[in-house]
Amino acid sequence: MFTLAHLSDPHLAPLPQPRWSELLNKRITGYINWRRNRRFVHDAEVLRKIVADLKAQAPDHIAVTGDLANISLPEEFVRGREWLERLGTPQQVSLVPGNHDAYVTGGLEDAETEWAAYMCDDQDDDGFPYLRRRGPLALIGLSTAVPTAWGMATGRLGPMQIEALAGLLEELKAEPLFRVVLIHHPPVSKAKPHKLLADADALKRVLARHGVELLLHGHDHLQMLNWLDGPGGARVPAVGVPSASISPRVSRNAAGYNLYRIGGAPGAWTCEMIARGMDESGAVIERNRIMLG
Ligand SMILES: [Fe+2]
């Protein structure tokens, strides 16, 4: 049995104090939003308790699907690396970036510098998609993080990454691995258009043709489960996890993370999902448990 933990959207708090020169772009709206709202939502102590509970479960690997940052200040990427290092080694933790990690042009370059060891393949090569083999798992990391216009939080894979994903999944057919896609934006979402994955249909076509055993995403800050079409009538569970830092004092969708207990063998995999999260008293408890396959 292999245990994979998944957390997302920690939106690390507190926000470093920006210089005025760093706010002369889209960051200004994000900064005002942080001061007015989000600093009361994303709580460092809540995140610390979630991570402590996750570590107590002793997972074999941890997947993080982006949005460590808030407005892509250079200091946020340094703090993001320090948080990742406390979470685990690059051997233990796989990361993909989110839209807040590419909030402005240049943000993603800083992320790729500071977080490179957590976003590379087994040969230490960067770029997306990456492939990491851990136990029976093939972890496939995708990046939907692109700078967008003011007020937008859309994501985009782009045709090159989608084509490379199809090629990678074709090659992986020869190996007996449980394939897990890590992506920030969900392929299916009820969010407003300015938050969606622009090329979700192209991704779904690749998954319908090649299949994977599991897709994990963040972005909507909600526990979500959607079933996507796979090849030959198979279905692919696309599972979203709440933000790992939302205080139960301000939201019914308080901080949580998911565990996956993966067993079996090719053609007969088993996968149990256990959702854990913070209750109103501040304790981290089991919320839900279901078999996905
Ligand atoms: Fe987020």
Side-chain angles (χ1 to χ4, degrees):
M1 195 69 78
F2 188 96
T3 302
L4 173 67
H6 173 215
L7 66 79
S8 196
D9 299 76
H11 291 285
L12 297 174
L15 191 69
Q17 184 59 46
R19 290 190 226 108
W20 282 111
S21 60
E22 291 172 330
L23 297 177
L24 297 174
N25 49 33
K26 182 184 168 184
R27 284 197 191 109
I28 186 67
T29 51
Y31 180 66
I32 292 167
N33 192 15
W34 176 266
R35 296 293 308 168
R36 285 189 183 157
N37 305 306
R38 293 170 72 100
R39 70 190 171 113
F40 304 111
V41 174
H42 296 287
D43 186 313
E45 179 58 15
V46 169
L47 177 62
R48 192 193 63 72
K49 281 189 178 175
I50 289 287
V51 169
D53 188 86
L54 182 154
K55 285 196 170 187
Q57 306 290 328
D60 296 294
H61 197 76
I62 304 170
V64 183
T65 48
D67 277 4
L68 277 57
N70 296 287
I71 56 173
S72 289
L73 292 167
E75 180 64 19
E76 288 191 279
F77 297 106
V78 175
R79 293 190 190 181
R81 176 176 49 72
E82 292 165 353
W83 179 79
L84 286 165
E85 287 167 356
R86 290 194 296 276
L87 190 62
T89 66
Q91 181 65 26
Q92 297 165 324
V93 179
S94 296
L95 171 70
V96 294
N99 51 299
H100 283 261
D101 307 318
Y103 203 73
V104 294
T105 303
L108 195 59
E109 285 77 4
D110 286 347
E112 284 171 341
T113 302
E114 291 292 339
W115 308 343
Y118 295 87
M119 300 199 296
C120 60
D121 67 14
D122 292 327
Q123 286 72 47
D124 291 336
D125 289 332
D126 58 10
F128 298 94
Y130 65 65
L131 168 64
R132 306 178 130 204
R133 293 176 175 83
R134 299 289 186 276
L137 268 54
L139 294 154
I140 300 150
L142 300 176
S143 174
T144 57
V146 286
T148 54
W150 295 53
M152 300 295 281
T154 46
R156 183 174 146 83
L157 290 158
M160 281 175 62
Q161 197 178 172
I162 287 169
E163 194 178 317
L165 172 66
L168 184 58
L169 292 176
E170 183 65 37
E171 285 173 30
L172 275 175
K173 279 183 183 155
E175 294 185 56
L177 295 168
F178 185 99
R179 298 160 297 176
V180 185
V181 166
L182 310 180
I183 184 169
H184 180 70
H185 289 77
V188 177
S189 169
K190 292 186 177 135
K192 296 195 175 126
H194 73 279
K195 293 189 171 181
L196 298 179
L197 177 61
D199 41 12
D201 287 345
L203 171 63
K204 283 187 273 188
R205 281 196 293 275
V206 169
L207 297 177
R209 182 152 167 231
H210 295 279
V212 296
E213 278 63 47
L214 183 61
L215 179 146
L216 303 181
H217 68 79
H219 189 56
D220 286 11
H221 298 187
L222 295 172
Q223 185 73 41
M224 292 164 62
L225 171 59
N226 285 284
W227 291 93
L228 310 177
D229 290 336
R235 296 190 309 159
V236 175
V239 191
V241 70
S243 158
S245 64
I246 292 186
S247 167
R249 284 184 283 112
V250 297
S251 173
R252 283 189 294 129
N253 299 299
Y257 71 96
N258 293 336
L259 288 169
Y260 297 87
R261 302 220 189 268
I262 296 156
W269 294 112
T270 61
C271 178
E272 182 182 32
M273 188 197 81
I274 301 149
R276 294 182 64 80
M278 186 168 280
D279 70 9
E280 282 156 23
S281 76
V284 182
I285 58 161
E286 183 175 318
R287 288 176 172 162
N288 192 16
R289 182 180 284 248
I290 56 168
M291 293 302 295
L292 296 175

